Amino acid sequence: MNLQLVSGWIMLLPLCLFPSVQAQTKAITQNSGALAVTSIAPAASVSGNSTIRVLLTPDSESTLASPSATRIREINATLGSSFGAGKILLAFDCDESMARLNMAKAELLGTDESHKAKLRIKKLGQASEVEVLLAQSAFEKAKSQVALQQAQVRHCSVAAPWAGRVAKVHVRNHMSVAAGQPLLDVVKDGPLKLRLNVPSRILSTIRVGKAFDVHIEETGKSYQAKVSALNSRVDPVSQTIEIEAGLLKVHSELLAGMSGTASLPQLSDAR
């Protein structure tokens, strides 16, 4: 009995000596519900976000590289400059390739004459069938050498694959480059594409051809776009899926790399 009384006094002693402890304990007990609501509020605001970030990307872009080890003779492109399809953007020093092509053409001319002579001699009975076939084989080999050197000469310049603009210049005039070294980054003209990641939970309500508005921050304007493709898988970490969309019109003030926002309710509207 005495032990029970002593233990009871020990438990009540902190509350008697420190009344503030009792007040704080009571306040925490009464406000536990409010604290729980406060911790959930940020998550609720995130889930209620109605806009999605979007990024403008070109319809096509590429890095043009050197086809062989050579020296640059001339660059006809500068940062941001526009060009048409087929325009020569960069030329290499091609003296050696041209010399090899001329040598191959001369060899072809000689083997052609030799082959024709063997055919005439055969008619006179002075050349065998084997000699004619060997002359023909030498002619075909020389013809292949000409085709090979012509292909090498075609590598003496870099032409634009389509109309577009220069995004980056990696080299300078009279610079020696290795095979496969990047020369120019180019982007294609035309309507830009939009890339955005949306929550996978609304995937069933998004379809190809769905129109929506996008607001671009750099211009402060809104533009019409349409969903053109959906990714084939969902990101398991972020639980989002990548969507590709295209602008309905060409807008000269827009550039690849600009960003903005799209309306989530517009995208998830199944009507």
Side-chain angles (χ1 to χ4, degrees), residues 35 59 94 114 120 180 186 208 224 230:
L35 288 174
D59 179 52
C94 215
S114 177
R120 290 193 297 267
V186 293
V208 174
Q224 288 186 328
L230 303 176

Side-chain angles (χ1 to χ4, degrees), residues 240-256:
T240 60
I241 184 169
E242 184 181 10
I243 291 179
E244 187 177 276
L247 293 173
L248 300 185
K249 297 180 180 179
V250 178
H251 302 276
S252 59
E253 70 272 17
L254 295 180
L255 298 174

